[in-house]
Amino acid sequence: MTVHFPFQNSYSALPDSFFARVAPTPVAAPRLIKLNRPLALQLGLDPDLLETPEGAEILAGKTVPPGADPIAMAYAGHQFGNFVPQLGDGRAILLGEVIDRGGLRRDIQLKGSGPTPFSRRGDGRAALGPVLREYIVSEAMFALGIPTTRSLAAVVTGEQVFRETALPGAVLTRVASSHIRVGTFQFFAVRRDTEAVRRLADHVIFRHYPELLNAERPYHGLLGAVVARQAELVARWLLVGFIHGVMNTDNSSISGETIDYGPCAFMDAYNPSQVFSSIDEMGRYAYANQPRIALWNLTRLAECLLPLFGDEQEKAVAEAQDILGAFSETFSAAYQTGLRKKVGLFTTRDGDDALIQDLLDAMAKNQADFTLTFRSLGDAAGDAAADDARAQFMDPAAFDEWARRWRERTALEPQSGAERQAAMHAVNPIFIPRNHRVEAVIQAAVNDDDYAPFEELVKVLANPFEDQPEYAAFADPPLPDQRVLQTFCGT
Ligand code: AMP
Ligand code: MG
């Protein structure tokens, strides 16, 4: 039996300038190393058939399934602030869209499936390490409840890719509510193709913001909706210590999903100016800079949409500025609400913001582990001693002083200690994809063809809020010699 993909493609029905039709390049010896079975079911695909050799051939791009309409999408983008008028899918091919069991339209895309007209000097391929990293981190983000693209499968190709050294090649099957980026709008805007910008905006509204279909000013509404989703997304990142690493406009999704897991990382010790990416020399995409960059990217989107706002340019600019102005309020509300929950405050009182900021300041000063500090604060939310929390601080006395104030304040909350603990544990994960764990998993796979550590890590991260005593070590921060200081791009 052949694997049936219930494709219902809409993007490939847009004008020819939106993409290049191109099939994946067949590979030598595809071997499935991971299938996300629950996601396959959610997409209406048969996981058993996907696990057959024929399924692996499809997931490696060796066979194109019936109903697919393979395309590479065109887009532009600001990379580290510099505009590149043509980027596009240089190593990814959209097979098509399916409507999932929840009625949502989802893209099924192969990443690393061979060259396209947008490849420039690249080989169109992906190495195994970055594919595994994207699988692990994107699925961890999903389990954390943060909007993200998903990973359906990883296959090795049986071919080598050449980076600094020869590495095993791999293909990731990425699932997204769409792959439309700020850079997709920029591609048409820079060409002054207002009709294409309008077509794209209409497509985005149909797909992601159908509530705007009958709006009086749909394009204003569209900008406002993307602003809100991005503001909320970045707040969610900060609340789990996530650093995207390459927030270029081409890696900024219109649907509000986290997209493009390259040199991304979760911080261990709390440090607002933390940067991991080896190519981010100026710290443009540092942890605490992410809200500002998201707004910068949204401002680029607004510029693209201006011609759709009306003929009076000054008025259009003022309206766009007004809409962008909502970013900081939406972000702050989401971030502050999230922080309040993290420390177990469910009512509001004067002084709360200062209490929270003082904790963050003390954490930064004392190199406290971001994840474990909040998790162990939850452990201490009842009457238990806060030993684990204070152990995160180089100077535990700095925590003691803060904890006294925190206990006084939480005593004014209506919940019992046990209720507070449950509520805090529901928002403060114990397991995040720690860099040193991700690195170890990649080394085992690449060097020893051993996928057991990968499977284990994926399994633990699927339930990040649950204490899993048998996997307690996965919660530990790195030892000094395990610390990952830099991450590298996913190419
Ligand atoms: P990224 O850094 O993954 O966001 O990619 C930026 C741009 O470079 C996109 O247009 C990619 O399609 C392209 N690109 C990255 N890696 C490769 C590769 N190995 N071959 C061809 N194009 C690539
Ligand atoms: Mg990208």
Side-chain angles (χ1 to χ4, degrees):
M1 246 175 60
T2 50
V3 195
H4 172 65
F5 285 73
F7 285 120
Q8 289 192 32
N9 305 327
S10 65
Y11 203 84
S12 64
L14 290 168
D16 286 347
S17 56
F18 282 56
F19 51 80
R21 279 212 157 72
V22 53
T25 306
V27 295
R31 175 165 63 101
L32 182 68
I33 52 180
K34 181 70 182 168
L35 178 70
N36 188 336
R37 293 181 60 99
L39 180 58
L41 288 171
Q42 175 70 12
L43 296 172
L45 306 172
D46 182 335
D48 293 331
L49 289 177
L50 283 171
E51 281 178 346
T52 62
E54 191 206 352
E57 288 197 355
I58 292 173
L59 297 168
K62 194 171 178 181
T63 335
V64 175
D69 195 355
I71 57 171
M73 290 166 66
Y75 54 84
H78 275 91
Q79 299 186 308
F80 290 89
N82 303 310
F83 188 64
V84 184
Q86 178 161 314
L87 289 166
D89 287 332
R91 55 163 169 163
I93 291 177
L94 177 64
L95 289 180
E97 301 148 32
V98 300
I99 311 295
D100 75 11
R101 293 211 167 154
L104 290 176
R105 181 177 293 273
R106 315 277 290 268
D107 275 5
I108 299 184
Q109 190 202 58
L110 302 181
K111 189 170 172 185
S113 53
T116 76
F118 301 111
S119 297
R120 289 163 290 156
R121 286 180 302 280
D123 60 1
R125 293 294 180 193
L128 177 58
V131 164
L132 295 181
R133 173 179 280 109
E134 174 151 0
Y135 193 105
I136 294 164
V137 184
S138 65
E139 288 303 304
M141 290 291 264
F142 170 72
L144 288 165
I146 299 176
T148 177
T149 63
R150 303 287 307 276
S151 294
L152 176 64
V155 294
V156 285
T157 58
E159 294 177 3
Q160 290 189 319
V161 297
F162 298 92
R163 298 296 180 255
E164 263 117 59
T165 54
L167 296 165
V171 176
L172 181 84
T173 306
R174 178 161 72 180
V175 175
S177 65
S178 88
H179 284 86
I180 301 167
R181 309 136 192 272
V182 170
T184 318
F185 281 92
Q186 290 180 293
F187 180 85
F188 298 110
V190 71
R191 288 165 178 76
R192 309 229 173 268
D193 188 346
T194 303
E195 267 327 291
V197 173
R198 192 187 307 278
R199 273 304 280 275
L200 183 61
D202 289 343
H203 179 81
V204 166
I205 288 171
F206 142 77
R207 206 158 161 175
H208 299 299
Y209 304 100
E211 66 277 12
L212 296 172
L213 277 171
N214 296 312
E216 206 174 301
R217 300 196 304 175
Y219 307 120
H220 294 73
L222 172 60
L223 180 60
V226 181
V227 166
R229 284 206 200 167
Q230 282 285 333
E232 277 157 22
L233 179 67
V234 174
R236 303 290 303 270
W237 289 354
L238 296 202
L239 292 166
V240 296
F242 178 74
I243 303 170
H244 182 284
V246 223
M247 288 177 71
N248 294 334
T249 56
D250 53 304
N251 293 336
S252 173
S253 161
I254 294 295
S255 74
E257 288 178 339
T258 312
I259 191 170
D260 228 324
Y261 292 86
C264 62
F266 282 70
M267 57 166 73
D268 296 301
Y270 176 62
N271 168 13
S273 51
Q274 179 77 58
V275 176
F276 285 106
S277 168
S278 62
I279 54 171
D280 190 2
E281 284 158 18
M282 307 295 283
R284 179 180 170 90
Y285 301 139
Y287 170 81
N289 221 21
Q290 296 181 114
R292 202 175 325 155
I293 291 294
L295 178 58
W296 192 90
N297 290 348
L298 290 161
T299 307
R300 306 288 81 77
L301 174 65
E303 288 162 1
C304 298
L305 294 175
L306 281 181
L308 308 188
F309 279 19
D311 295 332
E312 289 175 62
Q313 204 182 345
E314 256 172 59
K315 184 162 165 277
V317 170
E319 288 165 352
Q321 275 168 346
D322 210 38
I323 297 167
L324 291 166
F327 178 90
S328 79
E329 203 176 309
T330 308
F331 166 77
S332 295
Y335 180 57
Q336 291 299 336
T337 306
L339 281 174
R340 301 176 59 79
K341 288 187 184 163
K342 285 179 84 68
V343 298
L345 297 183
F346 299 90
T347 63
T348 316
R349 298 210 174 222
D350 283 348
D352 285 354
D353 289 354
L355 181 72
I356 293 170
Q357 191 56 50
D358 289 348
L359 174 64
L360 291 172
D361 291 346
M363 286 168 64
K365 208 167 150 197
N366 287 277
Q367 297 178 22
D369 185 83
F370 184 80
T371 306
L372 291 184
T373 299
F374 287 108
R375 183 69 180 192
S376 52
L377 213 49
D379 291 332
D383 296 327
D387 293 348
D388 288 348
R390 74 192 294 276
Q392 302 305 321
F393 291 73
M394 278 191 324
D395 172 15
F399 174 78
D400 292 339
E401 193 203 313
W402 182 85
R404 246 190 320 276
R405 291 164 59 202
W406 177 63
R407 292 225 191 258
E408 270 174 35
R409 172 63 187 85
T410 52
L412 304 174
E413 291 285 298
Q415 296 105 329
S416 68
E419 286 168 336
R420 181 158 44 255
Q421 176 169 98
M424 289 174 74
H425 278 0
V427 295
N428 292 322
I430 177 162
F431 298 110
I432 51 154
R434 301 242 178 212
N435 302 317
H436 66 294
R437 290 269 167 196
V438 175
E439 276 312 314
V441 157
I442 290 173
Q443 293 312 320
V446 171
N447 299 336
D448 306 325
D449 199 33
D450 178 5
Y451 292 91
F454 167 75
E455 288 290 344
E456 194 177 40
L457 184 60
V458 167
K459 183 171 157 237
V460 173
L461 294 174
N463 294 299
F465 299 105
E466 261 170 48
D467 285 312
Q468 303 175 55
E470 67 278 34
Y471 294 114
F474 283 75
D476 292 343
L479 298 170
D481 66 326
Q482 293 174 319
R483 220 170 270 152
V484 173
L485 302 175
Q486 275 201 328
T487 51
F488 298 88
C489 239
T491 40

